[in-house]
Amino acid sequence: EMEILEELAQEPDLSRLEAETIRLFMRWIQAVERNGLNWEPLLHQMIPEWITVSDDPTLHSSLAGEAGQVPRIWVYGFYGFTDVNAQIIAALGRRLQLTLLYPFLEANKESHPAFYFGQPILEDLKIRFGSQLEEIRVEPPDSDQPEHATTRFFLTTFPEGEIPAQPPVVTFQRASGIRAEIISAAVRIREWLDQENPLPLEEIMLVAPDLKPYLDLIRQVFSDFAIPLRIVDAPVETTPEARPLQMLARIWEDQAPAEWMLAYLRDYPKIAVGREIDIDQWESKIRRLSVWSSSSWQLILQLKQEGSSRIGKDLPRFSPQERALIQEIVQLWGAGSVAAQTSLSHQQASEFLEQIARRWLPDPAPLKPLQEALDSGHPETKLKTSLLRELFRQGGPDQIQTDPLRGPSVAFL
């Protein structure tokens, strides 16, 4: 395995960062093995080899055959498999009778476009099985043969499932994975649209607890089923302009941990506070003092106050500009700072935002809507710091978008 990773790291098409990432992963694996640690992803990679070398009684008992039964395995091929998953399936197929079920495949014709994703997965498994693959057959879902019972089970549990006593206005769907969940919903909606008295599109609405994981797949799948879709109030992905605010929100929440602060100044060296110091020298001094947690900033200031006569020769000396930056970090995000309070007055919030915009942002434009919203509020209003920090995390207000209305469509929100 290590030889394969080393060969991959030497591929000429890889960038330097990609090659170093692979080598870093190799060193991590070697450290895990050297220290005898149980790292779950590595243990999973060992399962195919264990299946191959185990004797029959051990393998059978691990698959619930404790009384000497010989297990049979059915794998529902509707979903995608990781490389390790596929290795485990192939290893089991070489030891036991294993059946792959692909209920969406059609005999002598193409599958529905929504199921195209399954074709490369099936082809990969065919290669892994090689000569072990005995036959491929298409079975009707209504087959009454006893050996087809498992096939019927999988077919009846997708998309509706066998759930008894459903109220007439409620249906239940079973799905494993986001793609299966979306296809299941699309199948149900397509049935409503194709019935004799179709349900109007504008009366159908899909609701998800979090839209982000669904956005790309739901557009693709609903297009395959010819279902007009309108996404409402979808979160906008991070933009380069919004990223500084989000990084500052993390710095704020954790009270300025050194690594985050150094990363921020590295990414944005041209901000006002960054132009006042030499980042390389400042970082070197910070690391010599082993500054990691947020409380360490205050210790540096205390060290400075003790006077140069008591500072050891091996301890770095900070310039006035460097000490001023540390003082500003403590004043903005330290344990006793304004930003650490539960709520801020209108004036405190305004001054805090003005300082961030002037000193800590490469471009203050993303913060202006928030400043304008604050200025339009009542001067005696108290603002929760958690709310203000969340607006930073979102990259400012109004970071959502809605598809334009272009006719009847299913709403997804």
Side-chain angles (χ1 to χ4, degrees):
E1 295 293 340
M2 287 299 175
E3 291 79 4
I4 296 174
L5 287 173
E6 183 57 43
E7 289 179 9
L8 180 60
Q10 295 177 3
E11 284 290 327
D13 294 338
L14 290 180
S15 68
R16 182 178 177 183
L17 177 61
E18 291 170 331
E20 287 303 316
T21 301
I22 293 173
R23 291 192 177 97
L24 181 61
F25 176 70
M26 291 170 58
R27 289 195 291 273
W28 164 252
I29 294 297
Q30 289 169 343
V32 168
E33 293 177 338
R34 185 170 55 251
N35 291 280
L37 301 177
N38 291 326
W39 188 45
E40 189 171 354
L42 190 59
L43 294 177
H44 289 173
Q45 293 183 27
M46 298 168 63
I47 294 176
E49 179 65 21
W50 181 86
I51 293 172
T52 301
V53 301
S54 294
D55 56 50
D56 287 343
T58 302
L59 179 62
H60 296 172
S61 64
S62 70
L63 296 169
E66 294 91 347
Q69 310 98 314
V70 177
R72 290 183 59 185
I73 301 171
W74 283 264
V75 178
Y76 194 25
F78 177 82
Y79 309 108
F81 300 114
T82 66
D83 183 67
V84 174
N85 294 154
Q87 290 181 37
I88 293 173
I89 293 170
L92 286 171
R94 287 190 286 269
R95 294 292 305 275
L96 299 165
Q97 184 174 343
L98 184 145
T99 302
L100 281 171
L101 296 171
Y102 276 79
F104 54 82
L105 290 181
E106 299 284 350
N108 302 319
K109 62 179 180 178
E110 289 189 353
S111 304
H112 189 284
F115 300 102
Y116 283 166
F117 75 92
Q119 290 297 141
I121 299 169
L122 179 58
E123 294 304 317
D124 175 68
L125 289 174
K126 287 180 180 178
I127 293 172
R128 292 178 187 272
F129 280 114
S131 60
Q132 299 292 321
L133 190 65
E134 294 182 358
E135 62 173 328
I136 300 175
R137 63 179 184 270
V138 177
E139 299 174 352
D142 56 352
S143 170
D144 57 359
Q145 297 299 314
E147 61 266 26
H148 300 160
T150 306
T151 303
R152 292 198 303 275
F153 166 76
F154 281 120
L155 292 178
T156 55
T157 57
F158 178 85
E160 281 299 299
E162 293 181 328
I163 301 177
Q166 299 182 45
V169 296
V170 177
T171 61
F172 300 88
Q173 297 176 335
R174 293 177 180 175
S176 177
I178 290 176
R179 182 188 291 272
E181 188 178 349
I182 293 171
I183 292 177
S184 182
V187 168
R188 166 56 64 186
I189 293 173
R190 190 69 261 172
E191 290 176 351
W192 289 339
L193 299 178
D194 293 341
Q195 61 190 7
E196 186 175 350
N197 295 311
L199 193 64
L201 283 165
E202 58 271 23
E203 293 186 14
I204 303 173
M205 180 173 66
L206 295 174
V207 180
D210 181 8
L211 269 65
K212 272 189 177 181
Y214 296 86
L215 290 178
D216 293 337
L217 280 174
I218 197 168
R219 290 190 189 276
Q220 172 197 326
V221 171
F222 273 55
S223 175
D224 291 337
F225 279 89
I227 301 173
L229 181 72
R230 180 170 180 254
I231 297 179
V232 180
D233 291 346
V236 177
E237 290 296 321
T238 300
T239 62
E241 295 77 15
R243 186 169 176 268
L245 282 178
Q246 294 174 333
M247 290 185 70
L248 287 175
R250 176 67 180 270
I251 289 171
W252 181 357
E253 183 176 21
D254 294 340
Q255 297 184 349
E259 284 300 327
W260 271 88
M261 186 59 65
L262 292 170
Y264 187 81
L265 292 173
R266 282 285 184 198
D267 288 350
Y268 305 105
K270 295 183 179 180
I271 61 176
V273 295
R275 294 196 302 267
E276 296 169 357
I277 63 169
D278 184 310
I279 298 294
D280 292 331
Q281 292 183 11
W282 191 70
E283 179 177 355
S284 176
K285 295 174 184 179
I286 295 297
R287 294 197 182 282
R288 282 176 60 189
L289 287 174
S290 300
V291 174
W292 306 113
S293 65
S294 57
S295 60
S296 299
W297 299 114
Q298 188 65 49
L299 294 178
I300 295 177
L301 296 178
Q302 293 172 0
L303 179 67
K304 180 267 300 187
Q305 292 169 356
E306 291 179 357
S308 59
S309 63
R310 296 180 57 190
I311 298 179
K313 292 182 179 180
D314 295 334
L315 296 179
R317 300 174 186 273
F318 291 87
S319 69
Q321 294 82 5
E322 292 169 337
R323 290 197 297 268
L325 173 56
I326 294 172
Q327 180 66 58
E328 186 167 345
I329 291 171
V330 173
Q331 177 256 324
L332 281 174
W333 294 295
S337 65
V338 171
Q341 299 177 20
T342 305
S343 61
L344 302 177
S345 68
H346 186 280
Q347 182 177 350
Q348 287 174 324
S350 180
E351 292 174 353
F352 177 78
L353 294 181
E354 193 280 330
Q355 184 174 357
I356 295 296
R358 178 171 50 85
R359 303 265 300 156
W360 289 88
L361 289 178
D363 178 9
L367 198 56
K368 281 188 176 180
L370 186 55
Q371 290 177 293
E372 292 171 356
L374 181 64
D375 292 341
S376 64
H378 195 280
E380 296 184 5
T381 301
K382 286 279 190 178
L383 184 66
K384 287 187 175 182
T385 52
S386 58
L387 173 60
L388 190 59
R389 187 168 59 242
E390 184 59 31
L391 290 175
F392 268 60
R393 195 189 315 280
Q394 294 173 7
D398 302 322
Q399 293 298 307
I400 58 174
Q401 66 181 17
T402 297
D403 293 344
L405 186 59
R406 296 193 179 96
S409 56
V410 174
F412 178 52
L413 67 156

